[in-house]
Amino acid sequence: MKPRLFRTTSVRLATLGVGFATLSTGIVFAIVYLGTLGAIRATIDADIDNEIAEITIQGPTTPLPAITAAVRAAIAAPPGGTFYLLTGPTGHPIAGNLAIPMPRPGWHNLTAPASHPFAPHITNLRARAEPLGTTGATLLVAENATILVELDQLIRRSFILAFIVTLALGLAGGIAFGRRALSRIEAVSEAGETIMKGDLTRRIPLSRAGDEFDHLATVINTMLARIEDLMNNIRAVGDEIAHDLRSPLARLRESLELLLLDPTRLTPARIVPAIEDAITQVDATLALAAGILRLAQIESGARRTGFAPIDLTTLLTEIAETYEAVAEDAGATLLTTIAPNLTIEGDATLLTQCLANLLENAITHGRATPPAPSTIHLTARSTPPTITIAIADNGPGIPAPRHAEALRRFGRLDPSRTTTGHGLGLPLAAAIATLHDTTLTLTPTHPDSHGLTVTLILNGYEISG
């Protein structure tokens, strides 16, 4: 089985890259090799052809004595790396400066033993043997081709060295990248195994290189943080549901148990109040279940299909008229500033419930400290293309660090949980706001953090006229 390192994508890609680099090097070598050596060989061949043409100045009819004289004259000239051999019809040498047997007619690459070079430092010749017409003689002219052989060997050695260096660097780079990628993946695997064992606080380490692994790790860490937050919420919601259900169920059980302990108490005068109390406790439990189902239905987005144009000005005015009396009974004053002709697309029933929840919260929890009067402002104004609705009270407010807790399901800010309600009012309003593509935000009404203002910014428009 191959080591794990050599099964990594990085090593495989590096190997593939080395293969393509080697192929490219081979193609470049072939072009350089054939082009360079071919050009030099063509030059040498042209010189040989010119030399033969000068010696056989009359072509095939050139007399043998003239050829012999020309060869001897050429040999007598200053040495220039050109060699001659003229043989008669029987192959015996007539003239020349080469002591070799006459080869067959045509082009030849001649190599001399290293111990007996053709001349000092000349071990290779490029030669052409040319029959001389009807004379039966043969003329061989050769040029020094040692540099051609040396260049051939130099190019070959350079290619082999380049191939070895390319192969070594490619494999070394592939192994290095493979090790680095493997270590990052090992870190991800280790973090994943720890998370699967229940440690949701574990995160994938970042290398701070800003590469693709860091980008992927950042996305996964964000997802893990979201999952951890959801799991914490589910755990907290579970605890709070159990707490809210336990009180009415415990009271119901206690009432029934008291009746059974003393059968003499089973008189109509005592049974009726006990049944009424039991119904109250069951209603509280059913109200909690209904609130949870209502919230789930809104968050599913199914109500979005029923969206229709809503006369928001009329809807807000009617709600304000209803809650002016409720606020007055609670010792507060509801003031309204509603712009005319406001229209939005939405679900009128859900928006009514959302605004009613917010007003009830403001009336119940937004009371100012006496003797200051409790005042609630409901404002709606158009800021095209949006409409802003704000409900502000002058009560104690909610500290900014606890705003998220107030918007969480069953998020009751009373630690003893002795106040009425199940902590679903604001979450339900926030869910309705989300359904209408907006966000419910909480801010202090006054700079000293007193009071609470709940703001909704809806996409809407104002009908002129």
Side-chain angles (χ1 to χ4, degrees), residues 313 315-321 323-324 333-339 355 358-359 375-381 388-393 454:
T313 299
L315 186 145
L316 289 171
T317 302
E318 292 175 353
I319 292 175
E321 289 174 355
Y323 278 91
E324 279 176 355
T333 302
L334 176 60
L335 304 176
T336 59
T337 304
I338 302 172
L355 296 168
L358 297 178
L359 285 172
T375 305
I376 300 166
H377 288 270
L378 169 60
T379 59
R381 67 178 186 278
T388 302
I389 302 174
I391 298 174
D393 62 57
V454 183

mmCIF file of all heavy atoms in Angstrom, residues 313 315-321 323-324 333-339 355 358-359 375-381 388-393 454:
data_model
loop_
_atom_site.group_PDB
_atom_site.id
_atom_site.type_symbol
_atom_site.label_atom_id
_atom_site.label_comp_id
_atom_site.label_asym_id
_atom_site.label_seq_id
_atom_site.Cartn_x
_atom_site.Cartn_y
_atom_site.Cartn_z
ATOM 1 N N THR A 313 -51.902 52.969 7.503
ATOM 2 C CA THR A 313 -52.384 54.095 8.318
ATOM 3 C C THR A 313 -53.670 53.715 9.058
ATOM 4 O O THR A 313 -53.803 53.939 10.268
ATOM 5 C CB THR A 313 -52.637 55.316 7.419
ATOM 6 O OG1 THR A 313 -51.404 55.690 6.801
ATOM 7 C CG2 THR A 313 -53.165 56.481 8.224
ATOM 8 N N LEU A 315 -54.774 50.639 9.686
ATOM 9 C CA LEU A 315 -54.502 49.546 10.634
ATOM 10 C C LEU A 315 -53.898 50.084 11.930
ATOM 11 O O LEU A 315 -54.317 49.709 13.033
ATOM 12 C CB LEU A 315 -53.562 48.532 9.976
ATOM 13 C CG LEU A 315 -53.266 47.247 10.752
ATOM 14 C CD1 LEU A 315 -53.116 46.072 9.791
ATOM 15 C CD2 LEU A 315 -51.981 47.384 11.569
ATOM 16 N N LEU A 316 -52.918 51.001 11.814
ATOM 17 C CA LEU A 316 -52.275 51.553 13.012
ATOM 18 C C LEU A 316 -53.252 52.407 13.813
ATOM 19 O O LEU A 316 -53.239 52.398 15.051
ATOM 20 C CB LEU A 316 -51.053 52.385 12.601
ATOM 21 C CG LEU A 316 -49.854 51.599 12.082
ATOM 22 C CD1 LEU A 316 -48.796 52.546 11.503
ATOM 23 C CD2 LEU A 316 -49.244 50.775 13.199
ATOM 24 N N THR A 317 -54.086 53.146 13.093
ATOM 25 C CA THR A 317 -55.067 53.994 13.795
ATOM 26 C C THR A 317 -56.042 53.147 14.606
ATOM 27 O O THR A 317 -56.367 53.466 15.763
ATOM 28 C CB THR A 317 -55.820 54.855 12.772
ATOM 29 O OG1 THR A 317 -54.874 55.645 12.031
ATOM 30 C CG2 THR A 317 -56.807 55.783 13.463
ATOM 31 N N GLU A 318 -56.526 52.041 14.014
ATOM 32 C CA GLU A 318 -57.465 51.167 14.726
ATOM 33 C C GLU A 318 -56.802 50.514 15.939
ATOM 34 O O GLU A 318 -57.409 50.408 17.016
ATOM 35 C CB GLU A 318 -58.001 50.103 13.769
ATOM 36 C CG GLU A 318 -58.901 50.682 12.674
ATOM 37 C CD GLU A 318 -59.322 49.630 11.661
ATOM 38 O OE1 GLU A 318 -58.808 48.498 11.738
ATOM 39 O OE2 GLU A 318 -60.158 49.951 10.792
ATOM 40 N N ILE A 319 -55.558 50.084 15.780
ATOM 41 C CA ILE A 319 -54.857 49.471 16.911
ATOM 42 C C ILE A 319 -54.654 50.498 18.021
ATOM 43 O O ILE A 319 -54.835 50.213 19.216
ATOM 44 C CB ILE A 319 -53.503 48.905 16.448
ATOM 45 C CG1 ILE A 319 -53.714 47.713 15.509
ATOM 46 C CG2 ILE A 319 -52.655 48.469 17.650
ATOM 47 C CD1 ILE A 319 -52.436 47.171 14.913
ATOM 48 N N ALA A 320 -54.296 51.713 17.623
ATOM 49 C CA ALA A 320 -54.060 52.762 18.621
ATOM 50 C C ALA A 320 -55.332 53.070 19.382
ATOM 51 O O ALA A 320 -55.320 53.248 20.607
ATOM 52 C CB ALA A 320 -53.522 54.018 17.932
ATOM 53 N N GLU A 321 -56.460 53.117 18.672
ATOM 54 C CA GLU A 321 -57.730 53.405 19.341
ATOM 55 C C GLU A 321 -58.066 52.308 20.358
ATOM 56 O O GLU A 321 -58.603 52.577 21.432
ATOM 57 C CB GLU A 321 -58.839 53.523 18.301
ATOM 58 C CG GLU A 321 -58.723 54.789 17.446
ATOM 59 C CD GLU A 321 -59.758 54.812 16.324
ATOM 60 O OE1 GLU A 321 -60.482 53.800 16.167
ATOM 61 O OE2 GLU A 321 -59.813 55.830 15.614
ATOM 62 N N TYR A 323 -55.867 50.354 21.983
ATOM 63 C CA TYR A 323 -54.945 50.291 23.121
ATOM 64 C C TYR A 323 -54.850 51.604 23.893
ATOM 65 O O TYR A 323 -54.179 51.656 24.923
ATOM 66 C CB TYR A 323 -53.551 49.843 22.642
ATOM 67 C CG TYR A 323 -53.488 48.346 22.507
ATOM 68 C CD1 TYR A 323 -53.805 47.738 21.298
ATOM 69 C CD2 TYR A 323 -53.184 47.536 23.595
ATOM 70 C CE1 TYR A 323 -53.782 46.357 21.162
ATOM 71 C CE2 TYR A 323 -53.154 46.155 23.467
ATOM 72 C CZ TYR A 323 -53.464 45.575 22.247
ATOM 73 O OH TYR A 323 -53.448 44.207 22.145
ATOM 74 N N GLU A 324 -55.496 52.645 23.419
ATOM 75 C CA GLU A 324 -55.532 53.881 24.216
ATOM 76 C C GLU A 324 -56.268 53.632 25.535
ATOM 77 O O GLU A 324 -55.827 54.076 26.607
ATOM 78 C CB GLU A 324 -56.223 54.993 23.428
ATOM 79 C CG GLU A 324 -55.315 55.682 22.413
ATOM 80 C CD GLU A 324 -56.061 56.707 21.578
ATOM 81 O OE1 GLU A 324 -57.293 56.813 21.728
ATOM 82 O OE2 GLU A 324 -55.400 57.385 20.777
ATOM 83 N N THR A 333 -50.232 56.749 29.107
ATOM 84 C CA THR A 333 -50.843 57.518 28.023
ATOM 85 C C THR A 333 -50.224 57.082 26.699
ATOM 86 O O THR A 333 -48.991 57.014 26.579
ATOM 87 C CB THR A 333 -50.588 59.030 28.216
ATOM 88 O OG1 THR A 333 -51.123 59.416 29.491
ATOM 89 C CG2 THR A 333 -51.264 59.831 27.121
ATOM 90 N N LEU A 334 -51.080 56.761 25.751
ATOM 91 C CA LEU A 334 -50.612 56.359 24.422
ATOM 92 C C LEU A 334 -50.761 57.535 23.476
ATOM 93 O O LEU A 334 -51.877 58.022 23.233
ATOM 94 C CB LEU A 334 -51.416 55.153 23.920
ATOM 95 C CG LEU A 334 -51.086 54.691 22.490
ATOM 96 C CD1 LEU A 334 -49.613 54.279 22.378
ATOM 97 C CD2 LEU A 334 -51.988 53.531 22.079
ATOM 98 N N LEU A 335 -49.645 58.020 22.952
ATOM 99 C CA LEU A 335 -49.641 59.129 21.993
ATOM 100 C C LEU A 335 -49.294 58.570 20.614
ATOM 101 O O LEU A 335 -48.441 57.675 20.496
ATOM 102 C CB LEU A 335 -48.606 60.188 22.411
ATOM 103 C CG LEU A 335 -48.780 60.759 23.824
ATOM 104 C CD1 LEU A 335 -47.640 61.719 24.137
ATOM 105 C CD2 LEU A 335 -50.118 61.463 23.963
ATOM 106 N N THR A 336 -49.935 59.105 19.588
ATOM 107 C CA THR A 336 -49.700 58.566 18.237
ATOM 108 C C THR A 336 -49.341 59.681 17.274
ATOM 109 O O THR A 336 -49.872 60.795 17.355
ATOM 110 C CB THR A 336 -50.954 57.839 17.710
ATOM 111 O OG1 THR A 336 -52.043 58.760 17.689
ATOM 112 C CG2 THR A 336 -51.310 56.660 18.599
ATOM 113 N N THR A 337 -48.441 59.374 16.379
ATOM 114 C CA THR A 337 -48.105 60.250 15.255
ATOM 115 C C THR A 337 -48.005 59.342 14.032
ATOM 116 O O THR A 337 -46.991 58.655 13.810
ATOM 117 C CB THR A 337 -46.770 60.973 15.481
ATOM 118 O OG1 THR A 337 -46.837 61.687 16.718
ATOM 119 C CG2 THR A 337 -46.468 61.936 14.349
ATOM 120 N N ILE A 338 -49.085 59.293 13.286
ATOM 121 C CA ILE A 338 -49.169 58.352 12.162
ATOM 122 C C ILE A 338 -49.338 59.138 10.870
ATOM 123 O O ILE A 338 -50.294 59.916 10.720
ATOM 124 C CB ILE A 338 -50.357 57.377 12.356
ATOM 125 C CG1 ILE A 338 -50.200 56.617 13.685
ATOM 126 C CG2 ILE A 338 -50.450 56.396 11.194
ATOM 127 C CD1 ILE A 338 -51.404 55.776 14.052
ATOM 128 N N ALA A 339 -48.410 58.948 9.953
ATOM 129 C CA ALA A 339 -48.485 59.656 8.668
ATOM 130 C C ALA A 339 -49.653 59.096 7.861
ATOM 131 O O ALA A 339 -49.990 57.911 7.972
ATOM 132 C CB ALA A 339 -47.183 59.485 7.897
ATOM 133 N N LEU A 355 -47.946 44.275 16.288
ATOM 134 C CA LEU A 355 -48.049 45.592 16.916
ATOM 135 C C LEU A 355 -48.777 45.514 18.253
ATOM 136 O O LEU A 355 -48.436 46.236 19.199
ATOM 137 C CB LEU A 355 -48.775 46.547 15.968
ATOM 138 C CG LEU A 355 -48.009 46.811 14.652
ATOM 139 C CD1 LEU A 355 -48.895 47.515 13.640
ATOM 140 C CD2 LEU A 355 -46.749 47.614 14.933
ATOM 141 N N LEU A 358 -46.289 44.331 20.814
ATOM 142 C CA LEU A 358 -45.337 45.385 21.187
ATOM 143 C C LEU A 358 -45.981 46.417 22.094
ATOM 144 O O LEU A 358 -45.361 46.892 23.055
ATOM 145 C CB LEU A 358 -44.783 46.058 19.919
ATOM 146 C CG LEU A 358 -43.980 45.135 18.991
ATOM 147 C CD1 LEU A 358 -43.525 45.893 17.746
ATOM 148 C CD2 LEU A 358 -42.765 44.553 19.715
ATOM 149 N N LEU A 359 -47.240 46.778 21.787
ATOM 150 C CA LEU A 359 -47.928 47.754 22.645
ATOM 151 C C LEU A 359 -48.207 47.172 24.028
ATOM 152 O O LEU A 359 -48.061 47.862 25.053
ATOM 153 C CB LEU A 359 -49.232 48.193 21.970
ATOM 154 C CG LEU A 359 -49.064 49.164 20.787
ATOM 155 C CD1 LEU A 359 -50.384 49.374 20.069
ATOM 156 C CD2 LEU A 359 -48.513 50.500 21.285
ATOM 157 N N THR A 375 -45.581 57.196 29.530
ATOM 158 C CA THR A 375 -46.013 57.635 28.201
ATOM 159 C C THR A 375 -45.469 56.686 27.143
ATOM 160 O O THR A 375 -44.297 56.289 27.190
ATOM 161 C CB THR A 375 -45.504 59.067 27.918
ATOM 162 O OG1 THR A 375 -45.941 59.923 28.978
ATOM 163 C CG2 THR A 375 -46.048 59.578 26.599
ATOM 164 N N ILE A 376 -46.338 56.341 26.219
ATOM 165 C CA ILE A 376 -45.939 55.463 25.102
ATOM 166 C C ILE A 376 -46.227 56.207 23.805
ATOM 167 O O ILE A 376 -47.334 56.731 23.617
ATOM 168 C CB ILE A 376 -46.725 54.138 25.142
ATOM 169 C CG1 ILE A 376 -46.449 53.409 26.465
ATOM 170 C CG2 ILE A 376 -46.368 53.262 23.955
ATOM 171 C CD1 ILE A 376 -47.414 52.292 26.745
ATOM 172 N N HIS A 377 -45.222 56.277 22.948
ATOM 173 C CA HIS A 377 -45.369 56.951 21.653
ATOM 174 C C HIS A 377 -45.395 55.909 20.539
ATOM 175 O O HIS A 377 -44.489 55.090 20.436
ATOM 176 C CB HIS A 377 -44.200 57.916 21.412
ATOM 177 C CG HIS A 377 -44.254 59.143 22.271
ATOM 178 N ND1 HIS A 377 -44.900 60.316 21.894
ATOM 179 C CD2 HIS A 377 -43.768 59.382 23.510
ATOM 180 C CE1 HIS A 377 -44.789 61.216 22.844
ATOM 181 N NE2 HIS A 377 -44.107 60.680 23.848
ATOM 182 N N LEU A 378 -46.448 55.962 19.736
ATOM 183 C CA LEU A 378 -46.534 55.128 18.525
ATOM 184 C C LEU A 378 -46.396 56.061 17.334
ATOM 185 O O LEU A 378 -47.240 56.941 17.112
ATOM 186 C CB LEU A 378 -47.871 54.388 18.474
ATOM 187 C CG LEU A 378 -48.202 53.689 17.135
ATOM 188 C CD1 LEU A 378 -47.154 52.634 16.794
ATOM 189 C CD2 LEU A 378 -49.592 53.078 17.175
ATOM 190 N N THR A 379 -45.341 55.910 16.575
ATOM 191 C CA THR A 379 -45.121 56.779 15.416
ATOM 192 C C THR A 379 -44.949 55.922 14.166
ATOM 193 O O THR A 379 -44.436 54.796 14.222
ATOM 194 C CB THR A 379 -43.860 57.659 15.587
ATOM 195 O OG1 THR A 379 -42.729 56.794 15.759
ATOM 196 C CG2 THR A 379 -43.981 58.555 16.793
ATOM 197 N N ALA A 380 -45.403 56.472 13.071
ATOM 198 C CA ALA A 380 -45.220 55.818 11.759
ATOM 199 C C ALA A 380 -44.968 56.919 10.745
ATOM 200 O O ALA A 380 -45.764 57.848 10.602
ATOM 201 C CB ALA A 380 -46.452 54.997 11.391
ATOM 202 N N ARG A 381 -43.849 56.820 10.060
ATOM 203 C CA ARG A 381 -43.508 57.860 9.085
ATOM 204 C C ARG A 381 -42.927 57.201 7.837
ATOM 205 O O ARG A 381 -42.382 56.079 7.895
ATOM 206 C CB ARG A 381 -42.492 58.839 9.681
ATOM 207 C CG ARG A 381 -41.137 58.243 9.949
ATOM 208 C CD ARG A 381 -40.170 59.291 10.500
ATOM 209 N NE ARG A 381 -38.819 58.770 10.629
ATOM 210 C CZ ARG A 381 -38.380 58.051 11.636
ATOM 211 N NH1 ARG A 381 -39.199 57.758 12.647
ATOM 212 N NH2 ARG A 381 -37.138 57.625 11.679
ATOM 213 N N THR A 388 -41.150 53.546 8.547
ATOM 214 C CA THR A 388 -40.606 53.244 9.863
ATOM 215 C C THR A 388 -41.701 53.336 10.913
ATOM 216 O O THR A 388 -42.383 54.357 11.014
ATOM 217 C CB THR A 388 -39.463 54.220 10.207
ATOM 218 O OG1 THR A 388 -38.454 54.132 9.203
ATOM 219 C CG2 THR A 388 -38.859 53.876 11.563
ATOM 220 N N ILE A 389 -41.861 52.247 11.673
ATOM 221 C CA ILE A 389 -42.810 52.212 12.783
ATOM 222 C C ILE A 389 -41.992 52.088 14.062
ATOM 223 O O ILE A 389 -41.106 51.220 14.160
ATOM 224 C CB ILE A 389 -43.770 51.011 12.666
ATOM 225 C CG1 ILE A 389 -44.547 51.065 11.345
ATOM 226 C CG2 ILE A 389 -44.730 50.976 13.854
ATOM 227 C CD1 ILE A 389 -45.404 49.849 11.098
ATOM 228 N N ALA A 390 -42.266 52.949 15.048
ATOM 229 C CA ALA A 390 -41.525 52.910 16.311
ATOM 230 C C ALA A 390 -42.513 52.988 17.463
ATOM 231 O O ALA A 390 -43.473 53.769 17.423
ATOM 232 C CB ALA A 390 -40.527 54.053 16.384
ATOM 233 N N ILE A 391 -42.279 52.168 18.492
ATOM 234 C CA ILE A 391 -43.062 52.193 19.725
ATOM 235 C C ILE A 391 -42.075 52.452 20.854
ATOM 236 O O ILE A 391 -41.197 51.617 21.116
ATOM 237 C CB ILE A 391 -43.820 50.872 19.937
ATOM 238 C CG1 ILE A 391 -44.819 50.657 18.789
ATOM 239 C CG2 ILE A 391 -44.529 50.878 21.289
ATOM 240 C CD1 ILE A 391 -45.515 49.325 18.826
ATOM 241 N N ALA A 392 -42.197 53.630 21.486
ATOM 242 C CA ALA A 392 -41.216 54.036 22.502
ATOM 243 C C ALA A 392 -41.912 54.258 23.828
ATOM 244 O O ALA A 392 -42.987 54.865 23.875
ATOM 245 C CB ALA A 392 -40.495 55.311 22.053
ATOM 246 N N ASP A 393 -41.302 53.735 24.885
ATOM 247 C CA ASP A 393 -41.841 53.994 26.231
ATOM 248 C C ASP A 393 -40.769 54.704 27.042
ATOM 249 O O ASP A 393 -39.622 54.854 26.610
ATOM 250 C CB ASP A 393 -42.277 52.680 26.897
ATOM 251 C CG ASP A 393 -41.120 51.717 27.079
ATOM 252 O OD1 ASP A 393 -40.109 52.095 27.730
ATOM 253 O OD2 ASP A 393 -41.196 50.569 26.591
ATOM 254 N N VAL A 454 -38.849 50.168 20.202
ATOM 255 C CA VAL A 454 -38.849 49.038 19.269
ATOM 256 C C VAL A 454 -39.146 49.599 17.886
ATOM 257 O O VAL A 454 -40.144 50.306 17.700
ATOM 258 C CB VAL A 454 -39.911 47.995 19.671
ATOM 259 C CG1 VAL A 454 -39.841 46.803 18.736
ATOM 260 C CG2 VAL A 454 -39.718 47.569 21.118
#
